[in-house]
Amino acid sequence: MKPLHIISALTAAALSIYSCGEPQLDEKNIDRVIGRLTLEEKVRLLVGTCTDPANPPYPAPGTMTDRPYWQGNGENTYRAANRVQGSAGESFSIKRAGIPSLVYADGPAGLRIDPVRESCPETDFRCTAFPSASLLASTWNTETVHEVGEAIGNEVREFGVDILLAPGMNIKRNPLTGRNFEYYSEDPLLSGEMAAAVVDGIQSQGVGACIKHYAVNNQETYRNGIDAVVSEEALREIYLRGFEIAIRKSSPWTVMSSYNKVNGEYASESSRLLRDILRDEWGYKGFVMTDWWGADDPVAQMKAGNNLLMPGTPQQIEEIIAAVRNGELDEEVLDRNLKDILEVVIKSPSYRKYAYSNAPDKEKHRETARKAAAEGMVLLENRDMLPMSNTARIALFGNYSYDTQVGGSGSGYVHRTGKSNIYDGLENAGFILDSGLKNKYLSHIEKEKSLMPAENFWTIPIAQEMKLDRAAIEKAARENDAAILTLGRMSGEGADRHPGKGDYMLTDQETEMVRSICSAFSAKGKKTLVILNMGDAIDFGGWKEMPDAILMAWLPGQEGGNAAADIITGRKAPSGRLPMTMAASYADIPSSSDFGISPGETNRVLYKENLMVGYRYFTTSGKETAYPFGYGLSYTSFKYSDMICSKDDNGRISISFDVTNTGSAAGRETAQVYVRKPEIYGARPVRELCGFRKTSELAPGETETVRISLSYEDLKQWNTDDGCWAYPEQGYEFHAGASAEDIRLSCSL
Ligand code: GLC
């Protein structure tokens, strides 16, 4: 054997002796591995590597001098080389113990990593931008959402990421919340079921999900400092309930604590939220990470059971080590936090040394995105206009028709593989678009955007709406068969929307566009469709009667244009249903009086509406809405019949009823079941969603029996007298219907 081989053989032998002296992490020796780690090594595993690209690589473990690591390069910052460029963060590795670093990346609408990498220019790192959460929730279909989760999880795994920082699932307490596009619903059951489905889908690919932001994170204004003051009853039944359902149904590997305080305590420093409720009551197995740079007391976060501090700062390591050394923090707390993390690490692709391909099946995922997008669009009005033949000549108006927004800004952004705008989708479907209008809009948008910063995940440039003159509209009405106008709104992380014109309200220009286009076309017996491209509600006052059809397309992902065309042509029958109430006026919304406080005033946000959030308020107060929770049109109609409620010997409640397609087109109904619970501890909403089922596609005349089975756990209510859950055995009324305000059958137990 040549000398070189002898040396390499000896080295390998030495290493194996060295490492065989050290227990290498596996599912059976976690406690032993933890017991052999130094204090510094333990703390490094509880704090992220702060992958700040501006700083030189961080001294690898084992090369540490007695000085704190981050001073190795003379500056008080450090980073580990980004294993996956553009990921949101990484955890440290401790090689001698066989503990790998994990890679964490956003987000709820798909994987966000840098689309290009100098180190491998030939690889395309762009990912699929899936429909945003508002749209996914509008499918009311856990199978579809599971499929989207699988596709996202596959891209996470194949691009070398271990944990996806998704889904976001905070309750839509107010339509102006900047991140509502990436949250599901105003209802905890729908939120929890959607989150559980997407978590299962993601984790079926062998990577981890992260349900966020736990908890009561319902506004972006002053999000790091606000204190959400909420009753225990509303906390339990509304703001935590979705997380509880998601955890019980899908076991997410991780949870992200939220920036804000809850009743005076930072969520990430609250052992009540993170230990008593999350772990002791719900039996959560997994670990909790902070939101990025969340809160400011690492010792309190450790004590509270916030296992991992992300993205990690040198100061956090220093503070935790000092607290252990001065006796303020028991090292056993670190061991406990570390054990939860290592129990996840051993499931991760990095631990399993998964050889990822950097080549997920993006073509397949594009189809998944298109199918989900079509299923989640909600047809709000249809006065004998849709579906329409693709032989129609279309006058397509509105910037958002030509620059359709696929998702919101911030961490939930995706560097997508492509984009189908509304106009692309219509042309792909065979429609002839008015070329004069199309060229005007495209050049207007191009000129406007040439003066704006390039798009990136924090800022998405939106061109000023192009002005239209009456003559152009009249001309278009003469030369085309129908009009389509897309109105849009952008929103994102870090800021809330505002209630005025140009956001919640239409601008005068938009109102005038709707009015003049509708009147010009209807004067010629022609129809107008308005498409809405946004993450949550806008004001419908004064204009929703004008168009012949209104389609809520949400922020539909990169396949939005094709998906909208699928609905418009009838290739896909509309089956989306609203996951939140569209109020008749913003002022009608209970939280509108104090939403979005500014830091100068106070940091306390009083959730004084208690349980009366969304349809719970509107159905109880009887106040008119523009479109109710659960509402959506299809191209057919459905009849509900033969409702039966019964209780079986195991104490489960069975509800069944028939749904029949009474129209002339095929379609899917989303049958909803609401419950009126007995009022024992004070006034309660008259209607609370307790079950739902999307039928299969029913042919005209076809009937499907919907069966919902409930336990008393599903119907529990908070006992405000004794501060615990109550499970009343009787006094329930059940209502089956097509929306919160369209009840077709009732029965009582
Ligand atoms: C952000 C967001 C969180 C995201 C994280 C990492 O501030 O609040 O949702 O996952 O930081 O980007």
Side-chain angles (χ1 to χ4, degrees), residues 88-89 105-108 112 165-166 179 182-183 212-213 217 220 223 256 259 290-293 411-412 457-458 493:
D106 291 303
R112 179 172 59 78
L165 304 171
R179 296 184 80 167
E182 55 189 349
Y183 296 157
K212 67 185 186 181
H213 308 87
N217 180 201
E220 288 303 291
R223 64 179 179 166
M256 184 184 290
Y259 284 127
T290 60
D291 200 341
W292 265 229
W293 290 290
S411 57
F457 76 93
W458 276 119
E493 176 180 351

Side-chain angles (χ1 to χ4, degrees), residues 128 130 150-151 154 361-369:
T128 308
F130 291 90
E150 284 173 44
N154 179 268
D361 187 347
K362 297 180 197 177
E363 201 40 43
K364 181 180 162 214
H365 298 163
R366 212 174 50 73
E367 277 313 305
T368 303

Side-chain angles (χ1 to χ4, degrees), residues 383-648:
R383 288 178 267 273
D384 198 20
M385 178 177 186
L386 299 180
M388 57 193 288
S389 155
N390 66 353
T391 56
R393 291 168 305 159
I394 301 291
L396 186 62
F397 297 96
N399 281 13
Y400 284 82
S401 293
Y402 298 93
D403 184 20
T404 307
Q405 293 308 309
V406 301
S409 59
S411 57
Y413 180 85
V414 178
H415 296 286
R416 57 183 177 262
T417 58
K419 175 161 87 160
S420 127
N421 297 290
I422 298 289
Y423 86 95
D424 299 307
L426 292 170
E427 287 183 335
N428 295 341
F431 287 99
I432 307 295
L433 303 187
D434 181 308
S435 55
L437 270 179
K438 174 181 166 183
N439 297 336
K440 253 193 233 165
Y441 270 105
L442 288 177
S443 55
H444 165 78
I445 291 164
E446 191 187 347
K447 189 160 90 5
E448 286 265 310
K449 285 196 155 183
S450 66
L451 309 172
M452 299 165 96
E455 181 171 313
N456 72 45
F457 76 93
W458 276 119
T459 47
I460 298 180
I462 300 288
Q464 278 296 322
E465 184 63 50
M466 187 176 87
K467 297 221 177 332
L468 285 168
D469 59 40
R470 190 148 188 83
I473 294 172
E474 293 293 346
K475 179 171 180 295
R478 285 194 302 276
E479 296 170 358
N480 294 281
D481 302 320
I484 297 178
L485 162 65
T486 307
L487 300 175
R489 289 292 182 270
M490 179 42 68
S491 69
E493 176 180 351
D496 289 318
R497 296 170 56 196
H498 69 80
K501 288 184 180 178
D503 201 336
Y504 190 78
M505 310 290 290
L506 296 193
T507 61
D508 295 341
Q509 179 190 355
E510 288 169 327
T511 305
E512 178 50 27
M513 277 168 76
V514 176
R515 203 194 55 70
S516 50
I517 292 168
C518 292
S519 61
F521 277 75
S522 63
K524 298 188 180 334
K526 299 173 180 177
K527 295 182 180 289
T528 300
L529 159 66
V530 170
I531 298 175
L532 302 176
N533 177 209
M534 51 193 67
D536 204 295
I538 52 170
D539 181 67
F540 288 91
W543 67 270
K544 78 185 185 78
E545 301 310 329
M546 296 180 194
D548 300 281
I550 301 177
L551 177 67
M552 172 56 87
W554 303 116
L555 295 174
Q558 66 181 69
E559 281 301 301
N562 287 323
D566 289 341
I567 297 290
I568 291 165
T569 58
R571 179 172 176 268
K572 293 278 184 182
S575 66
R577 298 289 184 269
L578 291 178
M580 86 288 275
T581 306
M582 301 287 181
S585 152
Y586 179 67
D588 292 345
I589 299 167
S591 59
S592 60
S593 57
D594 70 347
F595 180 78
I597 48 115
S598 63
E601 293 151 32
T602 163
N603 70 344
R604 288 159 56 84
V605 180
L606 307 180
Y607 283 50
K608 58 187 178 315
E609 72 279 3
N610 202 36
L611 299 178
M612 299 299 176
V613 176
Y615 72 89
R616 284 173 165 81
Y617 168 71
F618 288 100
T619 54
T620 305
S621 64
K623 196 177 279 278
E624 283 277 301
T625 59
Y627 302 104
F629 175 82
Y631 169 88
L633 298 176
S634 64
Y635 289 149
T636 186
S637 53
F638 299 96
K639 179 185 75 169
Y640 289 56
S641 59
D642 305 326
M643 184 174 192
I644 302 167
C645 293
S646 61
K647 196 160 78 170
D648 66 19

Side-chain angles (χ1 to χ4, degrees), residues 54 73 149-150 161 198 299 307 310 324-326 348 372 486 517 586 631 643:
N73 56 29
E150 284 173 44
V161 172
V198 88
V299 175
N307 308 74
M310 287 305 272
V324 172
R325 286 190 173 141
N326 69 22
S348 69
T486 307
I517 292 168
Y586 179 67
Y631 169 88
M643 184 174 192

